[in-house]
Amino acid sequence: MTVENGHAVTKAEAVKVTNEAMVLPRKAPGKPTCPLITFDLPYMTFYYNQKLLLYKCGDEFGEAVERLKHGLAAALDFFYPLAGRLKQDGEKVVYVACEGEGEGLVGAEVIEAAAEGVSAVELAEGQNSPLLQELVPYTGVMNLEGFHRPLLAVQFTKLKDGLAIGAAFNHAILDGHSTWHFMSSWADLTRGSPAISLLPTHDRTVARSVRVPLSLPASALDHELADPNGPAKPLVARVFSFSQSTVDLIKSCANAGLPPDSKPLSTFQSLGAHMWRAVCRARALKPEDITVFVIFADCRSRVDPPMPDAFFGNLIQAIFTGTAAGLLLASPPGFGAGMLQQVIGAHNADAIVKRLAEYEAAPKLFHYSDAGMNCVAVGSSPRFKVYDVDFGFGKPERVRSGSNNKFDGMVYLYPGREGGKSIDVELTLQAEAMARLEKDEEFLVAKA
């Protein structure tokens, strides 16, 4: 039994672990340590980020795993912080030790498993079943456990017609942008590429160099028990797939009626408002209830000077806007989308530095409830080319998140497998609200 975001869960019998091992980099790291910076620290009490890729393939499982492990070792040469462990120095500043000390070997954990009673296609077409969650490692493992666990764990599971690749990344080490940079590079190396297309940069101090001492809880459970809002209620996750024509319709509705000199609302802003309004209805909020929208925004192009795409680490900040539910729902879709446009546009280099300085003056270990009242929070991005991650098996049948970091109102956006502008919305709500959402014609009509 393990703890999943504060709740006990039991291992499904359908997935059987057949082997566990460590994969080490092939050479010494470029630097012995990698400091964590202010952008990284807020995620210390989040959980490992889990990604699941489902592939159809006819390759012999053992041979495929050996290729994947060989490619992983090569990838860790370039992305060596993922092979390290978290440490604190004498001033309680957190960093990554990229070299082993004594018996504390570095490396990534690799788990081999089998679930031969189910196919990749069945899993890809289904919803968030318990079985899907058993295909990714480190469910319920908080990032602060990276002091004594690997910072990267992967699970290769044999399916009836292919395999599943589940990966768990310590979120204090990297954000979504860097996650998919690593995944695409690992895939290229597994296919036999002699090099990767974009070499990562590991000097995080070019983005922020302030040393921030951090007092950490004794355990993940201690941190969860300290949440002033108490334990989370049971949640349900669902995936809503929006075709390109549907996305275009949502965007057109949001932009309808705007003054001619207005800046057009983007796809993200339009879809964000569509989700926000629907979740408010699903929660049956009162008109006076405040609702908050949170965006985990990539700051690479926003900081001064801008950081390159190759910057490896966390370079995101949560930005917030909010309003009364009644006003949001009584107004046209462009109202909510406009609020998102405004808060995104205002998050410039000065705003980023102000937020960093505030955190450095009073470091905080966050709970999910800190996201805000009746929140909708959006992470990941449909711009990530997740369906281009080809390990030699072709395009994934489906890409999904694990159950970690899924709190009430959390949304992960992925590109739709059909391509174009299609988008998959992976949304988590309390059961009663999700039941209402699944019957909401205004939300689903656009999806149809």
Side-chain angles (χ1 to χ4, degrees):
M1 181 175 290
T2 186
V3 175
E4 177 180 333
N5 295 351
H7 301 284
V9 292
T10 303
K11 194 78 172 174
E13 294 296 328
V15 179
K16 296 184 178 180
V17 174
T18 58
N19 189 47
E20 297 181 35
M22 295 295 295
V23 169
L24 306 180
R26 301 174 305 177
K27 61 184 182 182
K31 294 181 179 180
T33 62
C34 176
L36 296 192
I37 60 174
T38 315
F39 283 102
D40 301 307
L41 301 180
Y43 304 100
M44 193 64 68
T45 48
F46 280 47
Y47 288 75
Y48 275 63
N49 254 353
Q50 298 170 306
K51 301 302 176 187
L52 175 64
L53 297 88
L54 302 169
Y55 292 93
K56 282 185 65 177
C57 74
D59 299 39
E60 196 276 323
F61 180 72
E63 294 177 358
V65 166
E66 287 307 308
R67 291 199 306 273
L68 287 163
K69 289 163 70 174
H70 181 78
L72 178 59
L76 291 175
D77 288 346
F78 298 102
F79 298 87
Y80 57 84
L82 283 174
R85 299 292 183 274
L86 294 180
K87 300 282 187 181
Q88 275 185 306
D89 64 19
E91 298 177 354
K92 294 187 176 181
V93 175
V94 184
Y95 66 98
V96 180
C98 302
E99 293 180 330
E101 298 177 4
E103 296 181 0
L105 293 176
V106 297
E109 184 173 357
V110 174
I111 301 162
E112 297 172 40
E116 298 182 66
V118 64
S119 71
V121 172
E122 289 169 337
L123 289 169
E125 292 177 350
Q127 278 290 354
N128 248 8
S129 70
L131 179 60
L132 271 179
Q133 303 310 315
E134 299 303 333
L135 303 178
V136 286
Y138 284 21
T139 295
V141 177
M142 190 177 281
N143 295 317
L144 62 82
E145 296 186 45
F147 284 90
H148 58 269
R149 285 180 182 260
L151 304 180
L152 168 64
V154 296
Q155 179 175 323
F156 307 127
T157 305
K158 183 179 182 181
L159 305 175
K160 186 190 301 183
D161 60 348
L163 83 160
I165 299 178
F169 299 86
N170 192 297
H171 199 348
I173 306 302
L174 77 172
D175 57 17
H177 179 103
S178 289
T179 293
W180 293 108
H181 181 192
F182 170 81
M183 291 295 289
S184 61
S185 300
W186 173 22
D188 291 346
L189 292 166
T190 300
R191 289 201 319 274
S193 174
I196 61 176
S197 58
L198 182 64
L199 289 172
T201 63
H202 295 296
D203 184 5
R204 302 184 184 208
T205 61
V206 298
R208 193 70 173 176
S209 59
V210 178
R211 288 171 52 84
V212 184
L214 205 59
S215 296
L216 298 172
S219 69
L221 182 59
D222 284 350
H223 178 72
E224 293 292 3
L225 291 175
D227 188 343
N229 291 287
K233 296 181 179 179
L235 302 173
V236 176
R238 291 287 183 267
V239 177
F240 300 92
S241 296
F242 293 89
S243 67
Q244 177 170 329
S245 60
T246 295
V247 171
D248 287 341
L249 176 60
I250 292 171
K251 184 175 180 180
S252 176
C253 290
N255 279 279
L258 291 182
D261 58 346
S262 297
K263 182 180 178 181
L265 298 164
S266 70
T267 295
F268 173 80
Q269 294 152 12
S270 303
L271 180 60
H274 182 74
M275 295 185 298
W276 193 10
R277 289 158 55 87
V279 170
C280 286
R281 291 192 299 270
R283 287 173 168 158
L285 297 182
K286 298 175 183 177
E288 66 272 18
D289 287 341
I290 298 300
T291 176
V292 174
F293 198 100
V294 187
I295 304 162
F296 290 96
D298 190 337
C299 297
R300 283 170 175 78
S301 64
R302 298 173 184 273
V303 293
D304 184 18
M307 292 293 110
D309 285 344
F311 180 95
F312 185 77
N314 282 293
L315 214 59
I316 56 175
Q317 279 186 337
I319 55 180
F320 304 80
T321 189
T323 187
L327 179 59
L328 179 68
L329 295 177
S331 303
F335 173 78
M339 292 185 66
L340 303 186
Q341 183 186 72
Q342 183 178 22
V343 73
I344 292 170
H347 202 65
N348 56 20
D350 290 340
I352 291 168
V353 169
K354 181 181 178 183
R355 288 278 301 280
L356 294 172
E358 289 171 350
Y359 184 89
E360 290 156 1
K364 180 176 181 179
L365 300 175
F366 290 99
H367 296 93
Y368 293 145
S369 55
D370 291 315
M373 298 176 62
N374 303 311
C375 82
V376 175
V378 178
S380 193
S381 171
R383 295 181 180 179
F384 296 152
K385 297 180 179 180
V386 303
Y387 286 101
D388 290 348
V389 179
D390 179 5
F391 290 94
F393 317 124
K395 182 179 180 179
E397 293 298 309
R398 194 68 66 193
V399 178
R400 289 288 178 258
S401 304
S403 59
N404 283 354
N405 299 318
K406 286 184 174 176
F407 54 89
D408 187 9
M410 185 64 205
V411 177
Y412 290 95
L413 298 180
Y414 291 102
R417 191 178 189 277
E418 67 186 64
K421 297 178 184 176
S422 62
I423 296 175
D424 284 350
V425 174
E426 195 175 61
L427 172 62
T428 302
L429 292 173
Q430 293 182 29
E432 187 176 352
M434 184 63 77
R436 291 195 192 100
L437 184 68
E438 291 178 312
K439 298 175 183 177
D440 184 342
E441 293 186 1
E442 186 174 340
F443 180 64
L444 298 175
V445 132
K447 171 181 170 288

